[in-house]
Amino acid sequence: MGSLLSVSDIKDDVKYILDLAEKIKAGEIEEKPLEGKTLAMIFQKSSTRTRLSFDVGMYQLGGRAIFLSSNDLQMGRGEPISDTAKVLSRFVDGIMIRAIKHSDVEELAEYSDVPVISGLTDLEHPCQALADMLTIKEHLGDWKGKKICFVGDGNNVSNSLLLIAPLLGMDMSLACPKGYEPDENIVKTAQEYAEENDTQITITEDIGIALENVDVVYTDVWVSMGDEAEAKQREIDFAPFQVNSDLMSLANDDAIFMHCLPAIRGQEVTADVIDGPQSVVFDEAENRMHAQKAVLYYYMKD
Ligand code: CP
Ligand code: NVA
């Protein structure tokens, strides 16, 4: 069955998992499919949505989740990741991890006998991308032929969106300041998916071009967890990229506004946009749970 570290790991099953999420949200699956199953949740970084949605999701599927702060684990005192993976595999049926380094999660998955699900690394945030796509379908009716614009840097959230959008037939643009472009390998893979699915990927510092014909305007914090040392410079470089009503007016009139949250009003987005009628951010947050229940069912059900 494998693990979910990247959107690419579910390339051929993205639609299947999202269909499953819709069914789960509508209450159309059996009761307690994960009865008796346990998910270990390792957090090396803060979280509100990811922690709660996995915990509540496991409970609602009939199983349980155990929160493990990396500060309290022996891993935090230097126990090898490989030993941690082997030991956890003897106790639990799945491991969810929010990690600082993507390579650590790859190592965990390599030595684990149970599925490993990423709840964010420095490279990707695949569960967020699934919840985002569920939200887009609910609000726009379909993905095919629609266009999403991410305004911000090439980060974990935009990397996963770059990979998932073409797989579902969406065009994607990224409006980012020079020097903050996404990871080269992610862009290369996203371009391949776009060619296979006849969609377009555009990466530009020109906000006007990026926002042409856009149905979804998406942004994220200017300073991701781990980038704090660059905060001052980033605030200067990203100022022209703030999502405010002027920027929103460049997108289609009925465009929706999305943000993975947490948000900083007055930085990457103004309060009138995130709290305004085009914003769907709380539906998006709720969908973390429905999408992840589908992921848990997909990876952990016998
Ligand atoms: N969007 C998201 O992953 O939120 P948390 O950091 O609160 O988990
Ligand atoms: N890019 C943000 C996402 C938080 C959910 C971060 O990594 O901090």
Side-chain angles (χ1 to χ4, degrees):
M1 178 51 73
S3 289
L4 175 53
L5 311 192
S6 163
V7 167
S8 294
D9 294 327
I10 46 167
K11 176 178 185 266
D12 299 322
D13 280 342
V14 167
K15 277 196 183 135
Y16 174 82
I17 292 172
L18 288 169
D19 280 354
L20 190 57
E22 283 179 334
K23 284 203 187 85
I24 288 174
K25 189 170 179 178
E28 291 166 9
I29 54 150
E30 69 271 35
E31 285 216 346
K32 301 190 173 176
L34 298 188
E35 188 155 24
K37 304 267 184 187
T38 303
L39 178 76
M41 305 193 299
I42 303 174
F43 282 88
Q44 293 182 339
K45 291 176 172 178
S46 308
S47 169
T48 298
R49 281 142 289 268
T50 305
R51 177 175 173 181
L52 269 169
S53 52
F54 270 108
D55 195 336
V56 177
M58 271 307 284
Y59 171 71
Q60 291 184 359
L61 293 171
R64 66 171 302 206
I66 301 176
F67 172 75
L68 301 163
S69 159
S70 63
N71 295 332
D72 303 330
L73 284 172
Q74 295 290 7
M75 201 169 87
R77 293 179 55 241
E79 184 169 16
I81 292 172
S82 52
D83 286 0
T84 305
K86 287 176 195 170
V87 171
L88 288 185
S89 299
R90 301 287 177 108
F91 296 136
V92 301
D93 307 283
I95 302 169
M96 179 261 129
I97 178 163
R98 166 165 288 194
I100 295 166
K101 282 163 58 190
H102 192 79
S103 55
D104 285 352
V105 181
E106 286 176 333
E107 190 180 348
L108 190 78
E110 188 186 335
Y111 290 98
S112 172
D113 296 325
V114 298
V116 174
I117 299 164
S118 166
L120 178 147
T121 67
D122 53 346
L123 188 65
E124 275 204 56
H125 199 355
C127 292
Q128 181 71 52
L130 284 167
D132 295 340
M133 289 298 144
L134 181 61
T135 312
I136 288 171
K137 179 144 181 241
E138 286 175 351
H139 283 273
L140 303 184
D142 198 0
W143 304 291
K144 217 170 169 44
K146 307 286 184 192
K147 182 176 173 187
I148 177 170
C149 174
F150 184 96
V151 184
D153 61 342
N155 68 12
N156 40 22
V157 172
S158 57
N159 284 345
S160 287
L161 287 171
L162 278 166
L163 295 174
I164 206 167
L167 293 176
L168 294 168
M170 288 187 86
D171 293 332
M172 174 150 176
S173 58
L174 200 140
C176 71
K178 232 181 164 31
Y180 294 97
E181 291 84 2
D183 178 271
E184 269 177 31
N185 290 325
I186 295 274
V187 175
K188 191 166 161 272
T189 308
Q191 293 285 10
E192 281 166 21
Y193 295 169
E195 270 167 42
E196 285 166 22
N197 292 283
D198 203 17
T199 69
Q200 296 290 324
I201 304 264
T202 313
I203 295 165
T204 173
E205 52 183 315
D206 187 323
I207 295 169
I209 291 177
L211 280 150
E212 266 169 18
N213 203 20
V214 157
D215 305 287
V216 181
V217 179
Y218 197 123
T219 194
D220 185 9
V221 286
W222 292 340
V223 184
S224 283
M225 292 179 278
D227 290 339
E228 289 79 4
E230 300 171 16
K232 277 216 160 63
Q233 190 58 46
R234 282 176 170 260
E235 281 165 30
I236 297 165
D237 296 341
F238 284 85
F241 291 79
Q242 182 187 64
V243 179
N244 49 34
S245 53
D246 286 345
L247 187 144
M248 283 301 288
S249 72
L250 301 173
N252 292 346
D253 290 344
D254 55 357
I256 55 173
F257 170 75
M258 298 180 73
H259 192 308
C260 56
L261 303 180
I264 305 181
R265 286 166 178 75
Q267 283 208 3
E268 76 275 5
V269 61
T270 51
D272 60 327
V273 171
I274 194 168
D275 300 319
Q278 288 168 283
S279 175
V280 299
V281 297
F282 297 110
D283 292 343
E284 186 183 357
E286 178 189 329
N287 279 335
R288 290 295 304 281
M289 188 174 73
H290 305 300
Q292 281 155 207
K293 281 167 80 177
V295 166
L296 292 165
Y297 186 105
Y298 177 85
Y299 279 97
M300 288 172 68
K301 170 126 176 27
D302 289 329

